[in-house]
Each structure stands twice: as structure tokens, then as C-alpha cells.
């Protein structure tokens, strides 16, 4: 299948493109910055650019992974987020319909599920988050535009029949958290596999599974994150004393963490449940918190990437995204 992959120079794109190729697909990558898997440089906010790429490369399906992300809030105005994340998504959807495509996969974000109240962790218990969580009240322009783009996918599917799967992905970025500094970055990432992170490799594999299943499912919004070991009934205890709950599921975790001068989370305010994605798509994540502990036991390499200096393509391609 001839697949158009947006965001091909980004962290997800550079892992997803070779996996798609290995699966037998012919991949055309587009991004605002050059990269090893990017054939076309341009912005998806430009409808004529999108139409030309789809036509010139005989595109048959689209995986839309490109976007402005949360760290870009400090770099670009709100209008740039609307142009790229909303108008850009509409341009791709309409190009797919015009070309007679049978499937469209959209990379969304769990961030749009996090209201100010959830972010503040003001509740007495951890918030259990799955696809049925409401109301959705995104706390920033990133979440607002991603939710709008999800609704465009739904509306286009309803009006045209284009199969669209929306993947609300949790964290898989390699760089340091832009707000949290304690515990240190690798310790923080390891902890997040308990409730809100996955590897970029699993994120890429999830997109390929969605590409294959989209025509069968028609439309769906799925939370995609490493499977949590917790149950809903753990939520109160997770907020009060998360380390004890972790030790109940993984008795040697405290010792393994202490051996590496790491700390378990003292409190967890939200938990992502990706069981619907696993069930409906027959998908299994390759890395979870158990894999982190296995690496700590064996002294092997941690099964996730960390790169404090990772350069976002939005920085190099800033002139294509926005000009004052």
C-alpha cells in the first residue's frame, strides 16, 4: 500500500516509517524539516501542497502523525496550532476522500483528556482514564486543537464513510519533561510506565495495527499506552501511597529501585487504561513496567529511549509553520 506519513522527521515518524516499509508498504514522508524518511518538505496547512503530494505519489492511505505539540506552545501562537493541527488535518481528510482512500489513522493525544483539575491532581483518588472519560476540557491550545481534529475525523467518517481510527497516545517522547525535574528524567520515565507512558516502538506498532484494522472498525477513538498493572479499585490507594501499591504488585520493586538510587512515585493522580485498544485490535504492547524491572534486575539496557537534547523538527521548520 502507498502510505503518506506526516511528521516523518519527528520522533514517531523516524521509527514508524521503517516499520511500515518492513511491513511491505511504500512510504512517502512529509514534514516541515528534512529527515531520513522525508521525501516532501512542506506544511500540511497548505492544501495545494497536500493535494500535489497525494496525487504525485499515488497515495492510498494516510497516517497523520505530524502536529504542533505541547512544547511548541512556547514557540508558536495559537493561530499556528489551528493552522497545522486543525486546518492541516482537514486538508488531509479531504484529500483522502477525494482520492478514494479506504483508511485514515490520526495520532491524537491523551493530553486533551487532562483538564486543569486533573492536572492539579486535586481529587482524593487517582482518575481512571479511558475512552469513555467525560467531560473533555483541554487545558491548552494543543489539546483544544487535537480535540477539534478528532471531531473532524468523526464528521468526515460519518459523511463519507472514510474509515478513521484516532489514537490518543500517551507519552513516548525522548526528551526531558518540560515541567517536572524530580525524580531525574530516566527515573521519571520508568515510573510513567505504571500509568501514562509507552515506548516509541510500541506507538509505531500501534499505528500499523490501526492502519490494518481501520476498514473493519470504521471509526474509533482509542487510548494507546503501555498496559497499567493497576485496577480501578486501586485509585484511592494510588493517590495516598502509590509506592505501597506498586510494591504489592511488584514485591522486589522497592529494592531494585533503591539499588539504582531511584524512587517510586509517592502519589499517582491519573491512570491510562488502553485495554480497549488491545481488545479491539488484537494488539499486545511489548514493553510495560515489568520490562523496566527486568532490565534493572539483569543490569541490561533500559527498554526506552532518553535523549535530553532531542531536536524537534518544528524548530528547524519554524519558517514553514509560522511567519510574523
Amino acid at each position: 500500500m502507498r502510505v503518506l506519513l506526516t511528521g516523518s522527521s519527528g520522533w514517531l515518524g523516524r521509527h514508524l516509517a521503517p516499520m511500515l516499509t518492513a511491513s511491505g508498504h511504500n512510504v512517502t514522508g512529509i514534514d516541515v524539516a528534512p529527515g531520513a524518511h522525508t521525501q516532501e518538505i512542506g506544511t500540511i496547512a497548505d492544501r495545494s501542497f497536500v493535494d500535489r503530494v497525494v496525487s504525485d505519489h499515488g497515495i492510498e492511505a494516510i497516517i497523520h502523525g505530524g502536529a504542533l505539540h505541547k512544547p511548541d506552545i512556547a514557540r508558536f501562537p495559537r493561530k499556528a496550532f489551528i493552522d497545522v493541527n486543525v486546518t492541516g488535518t482537514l486538508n488531509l481528510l479531504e484529500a483522502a476522500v477525494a482520492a478514494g482512500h479506504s483508511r485514515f489513522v490520526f495520532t491524537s493525544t491523551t493530553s486533551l483528556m487532562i483538564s486543569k483539575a486533573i492536572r492539579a491532581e486535586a481529587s482524593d483518588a487517582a482518575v481512571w482514564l479511558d475512552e469513555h472519560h467525560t467531560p473533555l476540557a483541554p487545558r491548552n491550545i494543543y489539546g483544544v486543537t487535537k480535540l477539534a481534529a478528532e471531531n473532524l475525523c468523526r464528521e468526515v467518517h460519518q459523511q463519507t464513510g472514510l474509515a478513521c481510527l484516532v489514537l490518543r497516545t500517551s507519552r513516548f517522547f525522548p526528551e526531558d519533561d518540560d515541567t517536572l525535574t524530580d525524580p531525574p528524567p530516566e527515573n521519571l520515565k520508568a515510573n510513567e510506565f505504571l500509568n501514562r507512558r509507552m515506548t516509541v516502538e510500541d506507538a509505531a506498532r500501534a499505528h500499523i495495527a490501526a492502519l490494518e484494522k481501520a476498514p473493519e472498525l470504521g471509526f474509533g477513538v482509542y487510548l494507546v499506552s503501555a498496559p497499567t498493572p493497576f485496577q480501578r479499585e486501586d485509585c484511592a490507594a494510588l493517590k495516598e501511597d502509590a509506592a505501597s501499591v506498586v510494591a504489592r504488585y511488584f514485591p522486589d520493586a522497592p529494592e531494585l529501585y533503591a539499588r539504582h538510587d531511584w524512587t517510586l512515585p509517592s502519589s499517582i493522580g491519573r491512570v491510562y487504561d488502553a485495554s480497549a485498544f488491545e481488545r479491539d485490535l488484537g494488539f499486545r504492547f511489548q514493553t510495560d513496567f515489568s520490562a523496566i524491572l527486568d532490565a534493572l534486575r539483569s543490569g541490561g539496557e533500559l527498554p526506552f529511549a532518553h535523549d535530553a537534547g532531542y531536536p524537534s523538527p518544528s524548530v528547524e521548520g519554524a519558517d514553514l509553520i509560522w511567519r510574523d
Side-chain angles (χ1 to χ4, degrees), residues 303-320:
F304 61 84
H306 173 67
D307 180 1
Y310 171 73
S312 171
S314 66
V315 176
E316 186 174 354
D319 286 345
L320 275 175

Side-chain angles (χ1 to χ4, degrees), residues 242-285:
S244 293
V245 181
V246 175
R248 175 156 48 87
Y249 283 95
F250 306 99
D252 64 341
E255 179 186 350
L256 289 169
Y257 262 52
R259 197 183 302 168
H260 290 79
D261 294 322
W262 280 8
T263 58
L264 289 167
S266 58
S267 178
I268 288 178
R270 59 185 181 269
V271 177
Y272 296 157
D273 176 6
S275 58
F277 184 76
E278 291 189 298
R279 181 191 66 240
D280 290 0
L281 284 86
F283 185 81
R284 292 296 177 265
F285 292 87

